[in-house]
Amino acid sequence: MTPVFYIDPEGESFLEKNIEDSSNNPFIALRHKNFAFYLTGMCFSLIGTWMQNVAQPWLAYSLTQSPFLLSLVGILQFLPMLFFSLFAGVIIDRFPKKKILIFTQSASLLITFVLAILVWSGRVQYWHILIAATCLGFVNTLDMPTRQSFVIEMVGKEDLLNAIALNSSIFNAARILGPALAGMVMGYVGVSACFFINSISFAAVIISLFFIKPVNEALPQKKDINALHSIIEGLKYIKQSDVLIKTLLTTLIVGAFGMNINVILPVFTKLVLHQGEAGFGFLMSFMGAGSFIGSMFMAVMSRRGPQSFIIRFFPFLISALLIYNSFTRLYFLLAIGLAATGFCFVSFSATANSTIQFNTEDKYRGRVMSVYTLVFGGSTPIGNFYAGLITENFGPSAGFFSCGMMIILLMLLVLILRKKHEGSLKQDL
């Protein structure tokens, strides 16, 4: 048995863990059968999800020819997270997470199937996409923090970071394969096939959930406790933790202005690179390839615990890469830039996720992860609106550039405010 120390984001405290000699195994979390079942189902589902993630913005832009109306799809898909994530956390802490996931995955299957029928029949209109995106947004508001909170119930804390990294690697492997398949399917079969494939893929997760029996299941919170009281209690818990506040604030900035590729890239592909569906799909695959490498990097590094330098410095790398993308006019150079962006973004998000979970008590996990979902996904409508407005009026290059600059400016502002706050505390002492 080899002792390993997990370091918190500020390097201020250490948690000693005894782990097996196979600690360098990047697939160690797969020794848990529950997680192996879960990851298998997610593998199929995520390929379908990424096929729709490519088909949906392409369809919306083809119907409207408007970058702003394209951004509105993303805004409505993430807007429910902005308003209802905190209430979702209360639900997650009150009910078994497995049952919640069966419900959310079934609802996603139904919504995407209806949209697929509309696209296949040729009757789809822009407002249909808006309604489907909004419905999926409500489902994902509950689904995303539930899935993130459910991982620890399958693997425990010891293998949590490795499980998060492996889950991210599957997500990003699908991010490579899904867009490439979507580009070919849209070009040779039609856009509707992507929506049908995604609808069917949700069944894989539902089937896998029936084989999962959580071994570290958290005790549900009492249902007679007032929901608003539970939310306030969770927010107070976060306020007391300097680690959680700093990580969530940085995640808010990156989530709002680093996740707008779906708004800018379709327009950039058409207007700047003069490429079609296949070209767009392969660019998304390059970003997925970089993200996959980033997730495997995190899987290898997982036994060292969350690394603070990633939280502090990778937002600046992401912003620099977005600015680089804005000046690129060659297809291959943009592909390399997107791959590097994906690597940095996944490394940051996996580290932020694990940092928050390592520093959260089980009874607050659902509520804390709902706040994480709020700042990470719920901030996306703000970023989508900003990116869509800039791209509509000044072009896709300006969209990339302005998002990168916004991350730099906000991160510098946070650093200045932190220095002032720390200085005032020293004066008080």
Side-chain angles (χ1 to χ4, degrees):
M1 305 287 282
T2 305
V4 168
F5 296 91
Y6 287 96
I7 306 174
D8 74 16
E10 297 302 318
E12 296 168 348
S13 64
F14 299 83
L15 177 62
E16 184 175 6
K17 291 283 185 180
N18 289 322
I19 58 175
E20 299 176 359
D21 291 332
S22 58
S23 61
N24 291 325
N25 179 6
F27 305 102
I28 191 69
L30 290 177
R31 62 181 174 173
H32 303 275
K33 290 183 179 180
N34 285 329
F35 185 67
F37 285 131
Y38 174 80
L39 211 61
T40 301
M42 288 302 298
C43 182
F44 289 102
S45 179
L46 287 169
I47 292 173
T49 296
W50 273 106
M51 291 183 73
Q52 178 162 326
N53 284 348
V54 171
Q56 182 168 288
W58 189 267
L59 176 63
Y61 186 62
S62 298
L63 290 173
T64 64
Q65 299 299 313
S66 168
F68 178 73
L69 292 179
L70 169 60
S71 71
L72 192 59
V73 176
I75 290 170
L76 290 179
Q77 185 157 339
F78 287 96
L79 199 61
M81 292 183 188
L82 189 60
F83 294 106
F84 300 106
S85 288
L86 298 180
F87 293 96
V90 175
I91 296 172
I92 295 166
D93 283 335
R94 290 187 179 188
F95 296 95
K97 298 174 182 63
K98 176 179 171 179
K99 291 183 178 179
I100 295 175
L101 287 175
I102 291 173
F103 166 76
T104 57
Q105 293 294 307
S106 300
S108 297
L109 187 155
L110 180 61
I111 294 166
T112 52
F113 185 75
V114 171
L115 184 59
I117 292 292
L118 288 171
V119 178
W120 173 74
S121 65
R123 297 178 180 178
V124 68
Q125 297 181 36
Y126 173 69
W127 66 270
H128 292 145
I129 301 174
L130 292 181
I131 291 176
T134 304
C135 292
L136 284 173
F138 277 106
V139 174
N140 286 331
T141 299
L142 183 58
D143 182 77
M144 287 177 63
T146 305
R147 283 190 284 112
Q148 291 164 351
S149 304
F150 191 51
V151 172
I152 198 170
E153 295 187 5
M154 293 184 282
V155 302
K157 271 196 173 182
E158 184 177 333
D159 295 324
L160 176 62
L161 181 53
N162 183 257
I164 291 172
L166 286 180
N167 193 41
S168 180
S169 69
I170 291 296
F171 178 86
N172 290 295
R175 198 174 185 172
I176 301 170
L177 185 58
L181 286 174
M184 291 186 289
V185 169
M186 286 192 296
Y188 292 102
V189 182
V191 177
S192 64
C194 294
F195 294 97
F196 276 117
I197 292 171
N198 185 35
S199 179
I200 296 170
S201 71
F202 285 110
V205 180
I206 297 170
I207 293 170
S208 71
L209 287 169
F210 284 106
F211 289 94
I212 294 173
K213 298 178 180 179
V215 293
N216 300 294
E217 191 169 9
L219 293 175
Q221 189 186 36
K222 293 180 180 179
K223 299 180 179 61
D224 56 352
I225 298 177
N226 182 271
L228 186 59
H229 178 270
S230 294
I231 292 173
I232 294 172
E233 186 182 39
L235 293 175
K236 285 182 178 178
Y237 176 79
I238 293 172
K239 185 180 178 181
Q240 294 170 358
S241 172
D242 192 48
V243 171
L244 294 180
I245 290 176
K246 290 176 181 178
T247 305
L248 288 169
L249 188 58
T250 307
T251 302
L252 173 64
I253 296 170
V254 176
F257 298 101
M259 292 180 63
N260 299 305
I261 300 294
N262 63 316
V263 174
I264 304 170
L265 191 57
V267 186
F268 197 97
T269 303
K270 274 192 172 184
L271 300 186
V272 178
L273 300 179
H274 307 292
Q275 297 284 327
E277 296 96 331
F280 173 58
F282 280 113
L283 281 176
M284 292 290 287
S285 290
F286 268 94
M287 188 169 183
S291 302
F292 176 73
I293 294 171
S295 59
M296 291 308 298
F297 168 74
M298 293 306 299
V300 173
M301 297 282 289
S302 63
R303 305 309 276 188
R304 299 183 183 183
Q307 302 296 306
S308 62
F309 77 92
I310 293 178
I311 299 290
R312 289 198 298 265
F313 297 120
F314 271 46
F316 291 102
L317 285 177
I318 292 169
S319 62
L321 286 165
L322 289 173
I323 293 171
Y324 161 84
N325 293 338
S326 72
F327 290 106
T328 305
R329 294 296 179 270
L330 297 177
Y331 187 91
F332 179 71
L333 291 180
L334 179 62
I336 296 299
L338 290 172
T341 305
F343 176 90
C344 293
F345 190 84
V346 165
S347 298
F348 170 83
S349 59
T351 303
N353 188 316
S354 56
T355 296
I356 290 170
Q357 295 220 47
F358 266 110
N359 290 279
T360 301
E361 296 177 41
D362 289 340
K363 64 179 180 179
Y364 293 104
R365 192 171 306 281
R367 282 165 285 178
V368 172
M369 292 312 294
S370 70
V371 174
Y372 173 78
T373 301
L374 171 64
V375 301
F376 194 63
S379 62
T380 301
I382 300 170
N384 277 184
F385 179 81
Y386 173 80
L389 205 59
I390 296 294
T391 303
E392 176 87 22
N393 290 285
F394 303 102
S397 294
F400 274 129
F401 183 84
S402 60
C403 285
M405 285 303 301
M406 188 61 72
I407 293 175
I408 292 175
L409 293 173
L410 290 175
M411 286 297 297
L412 290 175
L413 179 62
V414 168
L415 289 175
I416 291 170
L417 292 176
R418 280 178 58 187
K419 291 294 183 182
K420 286 186 176 180
H421 178 67
E422 290 171 1
S424 64
L425 287 178
K426 288 180 180 179
Q427 289 179 357
D428 292 339
L429 293 174

CSV table of all heavy atoms in Angstrom, one decimal, residues 64-99:
chain,number,residue,atom,x,y,z
A,64,THR,N,-32.3,30.1,-40.6
A,64,THR,CA,-32.5,31.5,-40.2
A,64,THR,C,-31.4,32.4,-40.9
A,64,THR,O,-31.7,33.6,-41.1
A,64,THR,CB,-32.4,31.7,-38.7
A,64,THR,OG1,-31.0,31.3,-38.3
A,64,THR,CG2,-33.4,30.9,-38.0
A,65,GLN,N,-30.2,31.8,-41.2
A,65,GLN,CA,-29.1,32.6,-41.7
A,65,GLN,C,-28.8,33.8,-40.8
A,65,GLN,O,-28.3,34.8,-41.2
A,65,GLN,CB,-29.4,33.2,-43.1
A,65,GLN,CG,-29.7,32.1,-44.2
A,65,GLN,CD,-28.4,31.2,-44.3
A,65,GLN,OE1,-27.3,31.6,-44.5
A,65,GLN,NE2,-28.7,29.9,-44.4
A,66,SER,N,-29.0,33.6,-39.5
A,66,SER,CA,-28.8,34.6,-38.5
A,66,SER,C,-27.9,34.1,-37.3
A,66,SER,O,-28.4,33.2,-36.6
A,66,SER,CB,-30.1,35.2,-38.0
A,66,SER,OG,-29.9,36.0,-36.8
A,67,PRO,N,-26.7,34.6,-37.1
A,67,PRO,CA,-25.9,34.2,-35.9
A,67,PRO,C,-26.6,34.5,-34.6
A,67,PRO,O,-26.5,33.7,-33.7
A,67,PRO,CB,-24.7,35.1,-36.1
A,67,PRO,CG,-24.5,35.4,-37.5
A,67,PRO,CD,-26.0,35.6,-38.0
A,68,PHE,N,-27.4,35.6,-34.6
A,68,PHE,CA,-28.1,35.9,-33.3
A,68,PHE,C,-29.2,34.9,-33.0
A,68,PHE,O,-29.3,34.4,-31.9
A,68,PHE,CB,-28.7,37.3,-33.3
A,68,PHE,CG,-29.4,37.7,-32.1
A,68,PHE,CD1,-28.7,37.9,-30.9
A,68,PHE,CD2,-30.8,37.7,-32.0
A,68,PHE,CE1,-29.4,38.2,-29.7
A,68,PHE,CE2,-31.5,38.0,-30.9
A,68,PHE,CZ,-30.8,38.3,-29.7
A,69,LEU,N,-30.0,34.6,-34.0
A,69,LEU,CA,-31.1,33.6,-33.8
A,69,LEU,C,-30.5,32.2,-33.5
A,69,LEU,O,-31.1,31.4,-32.8
A,69,LEU,CB,-31.9,33.5,-35.1
A,69,LEU,CG,-32.8,34.7,-35.3
A,69,LEU,CD1,-33.6,34.6,-36.6
A,69,LEU,CD2,-33.7,35.0,-34.2
A,70,LEU,N,-29.3,31.9,-34.1
A,70,LEU,CA,-28.6,30.7,-33.7
A,70,LEU,C,-28.2,30.7,-32.3
A,70,LEU,O,-28.4,29.7,-31.6
A,70,LEU,CB,-27.3,30.5,-34.6
A,70,LEU,CG,-26.3,29.4,-34.2
A,70,LEU,CD1,-26.9,28.1,-34.2
A,70,LEU,CD2,-25.1,29.5,-35.2
A,71,SER,N,-27.7,31.8,-31.8
A,71,SER,CA,-27.3,31.9,-30.4
A,71,SER,C,-28.5,31.8,-29.5
A,71,SER,O,-28.4,31.3,-28.3
A,71,SER,CB,-26.6,33.2,-30.1
A,71,SER,OG,-27.5,34.3,-30.2
A,72,LEU,N,-29.7,32.2,-30.0
A,72,LEU,CA,-30.9,32.1,-29.1
A,72,LEU,C,-31.3,30.6,-28.8
A,72,LEU,O,-31.8,30.3,-27.7
A,72,LEU,CB,-32.1,32.7,-29.9
A,72,LEU,CG,-33.3,33.0,-29.1
A,72,LEU,CD1,-33.1,33.9,-27.9
A,72,LEU,CD2,-34.4,33.6,-30.0
A,73,VAL,N,-30.9,29.7,-29.7
A,73,VAL,CA,-31.1,28.3,-29.4
A,73,VAL,C,-30.3,27.9,-28.2
A,73,VAL,O,-30.8,27.2,-27.3
A,73,VAL,CB,-30.7,27.4,-30.6
A,73,VAL,CG1,-30.9,25.9,-30.3
A,73,VAL,CG2,-31.6,27.8,-31.8
A,74,GLY,N,-29.0,28.2,-28.2
A,74,GLY,CA,-28.2,27.9,-27.0
A,74,GLY,C,-28.6,28.6,-25.8
A,74,GLY,O,-28.6,28.1,-24.7
A,75,ILE,N,-29.1,29.9,-25.9
A,75,ILE,CA,-29.6,30.6,-24.8
A,75,ILE,C,-30.8,29.9,-24.1
A,75,ILE,O,-30.8,29.7,-22.9
A,75,ILE,CB,-30.0,32.1,-25.2
A,75,ILE,CG1,-28.8,32.9,-25.6
A,75,ILE,CG2,-30.8,32.7,-24.1
A,75,ILE,CD1,-29.1,34.2,-26.2
A,76,LEU,N,-31.7,29.5,-24.9
A,76,LEU,CA,-32.9,28.8,-24.4
A,76,LEU,C,-32.6,27.4,-23.8
A,76,LEU,O,-33.2,27.0,-22.9
A,76,LEU,CB,-34.0,28.7,-25.4
A,76,LEU,CG,-34.7,30.1,-25.8
A,76,LEU,CD1,-35.7,29.9,-26.9
A,76,LEU,CD2,-35.3,30.7,-24.6
A,77,GLN,N,-31.6,26.8,-24.4
A,77,GLN,CA,-31.2,25.4,-23.9
A,77,GLN,C,-30.6,25.5,-22.5
A,77,GLN,O,-30.7,24.6,-21.7
A,77,GLN,CB,-30.3,24.7,-24.9
A,77,GLN,CG,-30.0,23.3,-24.5
A,77,GLN,CD,-29.6,22.5,-25.7
A,77,GLN,OE1,-29.8,22.8,-26.8
A,77,GLN,NE2,-28.9,21.4,-25.4
A,78,PHE,N,-29.9,26.6,-22.3
A,78,PHE,CA,-29.2,26.7,-21.0
A,78,PHE,C,-29.9,27.6,-20.0
A,78,PHE,O,-29.5,27.7,-18.8
A,78,PHE,CB,-27.7,27.2,-21.2
A,78,PHE,CG,-26.9,26.1,-21.8
A,78,PHE,CD1,-26.6,26.0,-23.1
A,78,PHE,CD2,-26.3,25.2,-20.9
A,78,PHE,CE1,-25.8,25.1,-23.7
A,78,PHE,CE2,-25.5,24.2,-21.5
A,78,PHE,CZ,-25.2,24.1,-22.8
A,79,LEU,N,-30.9,28.4,-20.5
A,79,LEU,CA,-31.6,29.3,-19.6
A,79,LEU,C,-32.2,28.7,-18.4
A,79,LEU,O,-32.2,29.3,-17.3
A,79,LEU,CB,-32.6,30.1,-20.4
A,79,LEU,CG,-33.1,31.4,-19.8
A,79,LEU,CD1,-31.9,32.4,-19.6
A,79,LEU,CD2,-34.2,32.1,-20.7
A,80,PRO,N,-32.9,27.5,-18.5
A,80,PRO,CA,-33.5,26.9,-17.3
A,80,PRO,C,-32.5,26.7,-16.2
A,80,PRO,O,-32.8,26.7,-15.0
A,80,PRO,CB,-34.0,25.6,-17.9
A,80,PRO,CG,-34.3,25.8,-19.3
A,80,PRO,CD,-33.2,26.8,-19.7
A,81,MET,N,-31.2,26.4,-16.6
A,81,MET,CA,-30.2,26.2,-15.5
A,81,MET,C,-30.0,27.4,-14.7
A,81,MET,O,-29.6,27.4,-13.5
A,81,MET,CB,-28.9,25.7,-16.2
A,81,MET,CG,-28.9,24.4,-16.8
A,81,MET,SD,-27.3,23.9,-17.5
A,81,MET,CE,-27.7,22.4,-18.3
A,82,LEU,N,-30.1,28.6,-15.4
A,82,LEU,CA,-29.8,29.8,-14.7
A,82,LEU,C,-30.9,30.1,-13.6
A,82,LEU,O,-30.5,30.7,-12.6
A,82,LEU,CB,-29.9,31.0,-15.8
A,82,LEU,CG,-29.5,32.4,-15.4
A,82,LEU,CD1,-28.0,32.4,-14.9
A,82,LEU,CD2,-29.6,33.3,-16.5
A,83,PHE,N,-32.1,29.7,-13.8
A,83,PHE,CA,-33.2,30.0,-12.9
A,83,PHE,C,-33.6,28.8,-12.0
A,83,PHE,O,-34.1,29.0,-10.9
A,83,PHE,CB,-34.4,30.4,-13.7
A,83,PHE,CG,-34.2,31.7,-14.4
A,83,PHE,CD1,-34.1,31.8,-15.8
A,83,PHE,CD2,-34.2,32.9,-13.7
A,83,PHE,CE1,-33.9,33.0,-16.4
A,83,PHE,CE2,-34.0,34.1,-14.4
A,83,PHE,CZ,-33.9,34.2,-15.7
A,84,PHE,N,-33.3,27.6,-12.4
A,84,PHE,CA,-33.8,26.4,-11.6
A,84,PHE,C,-32.8,25.5,-11.1
A,84,PHE,O,-33.1,24.5,-10.5
A,84,PHE,CB,-34.8,25.7,-12.5
A,84,PHE,CG,-36.0,26.5,-13.0
A,84,PHE,CD1,-36.1,26.9,-14.3
A,84,PHE,CD2,-37.0,26.8,-12.1
A,84,PHE,CE1,-37.2,27.7,-14.7
A,84,PHE,CE2,-38.1,27.6,-12.5
A,84,PHE,CZ,-38.2,28.0,-13.8
A,85,SER,N,-31.5,25.8,-11.3
A,85,SER,CA,-30.4,24.8,-10.8
A,85,SER,C,-30.5,24.7,-9.3
A,85,SER,O,-30.3,23.6,-8.8
A,85,SER,CB,-29.1,25.3,-11.3
A,85,SER,OG,-28.9,25.2,-12.6
A,86,LEU,N,-30.7,25.7,-8.6
A,86,LEU,CA,-30.7,25.7,-7.1
A,86,LEU,C,-31.8,24.8,-6.6
A,86,LEU,O,-31.7,24.0,-5.7
A,86,LEU,CB,-30.8,27.1,-6.5
A,86,LEU,CG,-29.7,28.0,-6.8
A,86,LEU,CD1,-29.9,29.4,-6.2
A,86,LEU,CD2,-28.3,27.5,-6.4
A,87,PHE,N,-33.0,24.8,-7.3
A,87,PHE,CA,-34.1,24.0,-6.9
A,87,PHE,C,-33.8,22.5,-7.3
A,87,PHE,O,-34.3,21.6,-6.6
A,87,PHE,CB,-35.4,24.5,-7.5
A,87,PHE,CG,-35.9,25.8,-7.0
A,87,PHE,CD1,-35.6,26.9,-7.7
A,87,PHE,CD2,-36.6,25.9,-5.9
A,87,PHE,CE1,-36.0,28.2,-7.3
A,87,PHE,CE2,-37.1,27.1,-5.4
A,87,PHE,CZ,-36.7,28.3,-6.1
A,88,ALA,N,-33.1,22.3,-8.4
A,88,ALA,CA,-32.7,21.0,-8.8
A,88,ALA,C,-31.9,20.3,-7.7
A,88,ALA,O,-32.0,19.1,-7.4
A,88,ALA,CB,-32.0,21.0,-10.1
A,89,GLY,N,-31.0,21.1,-7.1
A,89,GLY,CA,-30.1,20.6,-6.0
A,89,GLY,C,-30.9,20.0,-4.9
A,89,GLY,O,-30.6,19.0,-4.3
A,90,VAL,N,-32.0,20.7,-4.5
A,90,VAL,CA,-32.9,20.2,-3.4
A,90,VAL,C,-33.5,18.9,-3.8
A,90,VAL,O,-33.5,18.0,-2.9
A,90,VAL,CB,-34.0,21.3,-3.1
A,90,VAL,CG1,-34.9,20.7,-2.1
A,90,VAL,CG2,-33.3,22.6,-2.7
A,91,ILE,N,-34.0,18.7,-5.0
A,91,ILE,CA,-34.6,17.5,-5.5
A,91,ILE,C,-33.5,16.4,-5.4
A,91,ILE,O,-33.8,15.2,-5.0
A,91,ILE,CB,-35.1,17.6,-6.9
A,91,ILE,CG1,-36.3,18.6,-6.9
A,91,ILE,CG2,-35.6,16.3,-7.5
A,91,ILE,CD1,-36.8,19.0,-8.3
A,92,ILE,N,-32.3,16.6,-5.9
A,92,ILE,CA,-31.2,15.6,-5.9
A,92,ILE,C,-30.9,15.1,-4.5
A,92,ILE,O,-30.7,13.9,-4.3
A,92,ILE,CB,-30.0,16.2,-6.6
A,92,ILE,CG1,-30.3,16.5,-8.1
A,92,ILE,CG2,-28.8,15.2,-6.5
A,92,ILE,CD1,-29.3,17.4,-8.8
A,93,ASP,N,-30.9,16.0,-3.6
A,93,ASP,CA,-30.6,15.6,-2.2
A,93,ASP,C,-31.7,14.9,-1.5
A,93,ASP,O,-31.6,14.3,-0.4
A,93,ASP,CB,-30.1,16.8,-1.4
A,93,ASP,CG,-28.7,17.3,-1.7
A,93,ASP,OD1,-27.9,16.4,-2.1
A,93,ASP,OD2,-28.4,18.5,-1.5
A,94,ARG,N,-32.9,15.0,-2.1
A,94,ARG,CA,-34.1,14.4,-1.4
A,94,ARG,C,-34.5,13.0,-2.0
A,94,ARG,O,-35.2,12.3,-1.4
A,94,ARG,CB,-35.3,15.3,-1.5
A,94,ARG,CG,-35.2,16.6,-0.7
A,94,ARG,CD,-36.5,17.4,-0.7
A,94,ARG,NE,-36.4,18.6,0.1
A,94,ARG,CZ,-37.4,19.4,0.4
A,94,ARG,NH1,-38.6,19.1,-0.1
A,94,ARG,NH2,-37.2,20.4,1.1
A,95,PHE,N,-34.1,12.7,-3.2
A,95,PHE,CA,-34.5,11.5,-3.9
A,95,PHE,C,-33.3,10.7,-4.4
A,95,PHE,O,-32.2,11.2,-4.6
A,95,PHE,CB,-35.4,11.8,-5.1
A,95,PHE,CG,-36.7,12.5,-4.7
A,95,PHE,CD1,-36.8,13.8,-4.7
A,95,PHE,CD2,-37.8,11.7,-4.3
A,95,PHE,CE1,-38.0,14.5,-4.4
A,95,PHE,CE2,-39.0,12.3,-3.9
A,95,PHE,CZ,-39.1,13.7,-4.0
A,96,PRO,N,-33.5,9.3,-4.5
A,96,PRO,CA,-32.4,8.5,-5.0
A,96,PRO,C,-32.0,9.0,-6.4
A,96,PRO,O,-32.8,9.2,-7.3
A,96,PRO,CB,-33.0,7.1,-5.1
A,96,PRO,CG,-34.1,7.1,-4.1
A,96,PRO,CD,-34.7,8.5,-4.1
A,97,LYS,N,-30.7,9.1,-6.6
A,97,LYS,CA,-30.2,9.7,-7.9
A,97,LYS,C,-30.4,8.8,-9.1
A,97,LYS,O,-30.6,9.2,-10.2
A,97,LYS,CB,-28.7,10.0,-7.8
A,97,LYS,CG,-28.4,11.1,-6.7
A,97,LYS,CD,-27.0,11.3,-6.5
A,97,LYS,CE,-26.7,12.3,-5.4
A,97,LYS,NZ,-27.2,11.9,-4.0
A,98,LYS,N,-30.4,7.5,-8.9
A,98,LYS,CA,-30.6,6.5,-9.9
A,98,LYS,C,-32.0,6.7,-10.5
A,98,LYS,O,-32.2,6.7,-11.8
A,98,LYS,CB,-30.5,5.1,-9.4
A,98,LYS,CG,-30.8,4.0,-10.5
A,98,LYS,CD,-30.5,2.6,-9.9
A,98,LYS,CE,-31.1,1.5,-10.8
A,98,LYS,NZ,-30.8,0.2,-10.3
A,99,LYS,N,-33.1,6.9,-9.7
A,99,LYS,CA,-34.4,7.1,-10.2
A,99,LYS,C,-34.6,8.4,-10.9
A,99,LYS,O,-35.3,8.4,-11.9
A,99,LYS,CB,-35.4,7.0,-9.0
A,99,LYS,CG,-35.5,5.6,-8.3
A,99,LYS,CD,-36.6,5.6,-7.2
A,99,LYS,CE,-36.7,4.2,-6.6
A,99,LYS,NZ,-37.7,4.2,-5.5
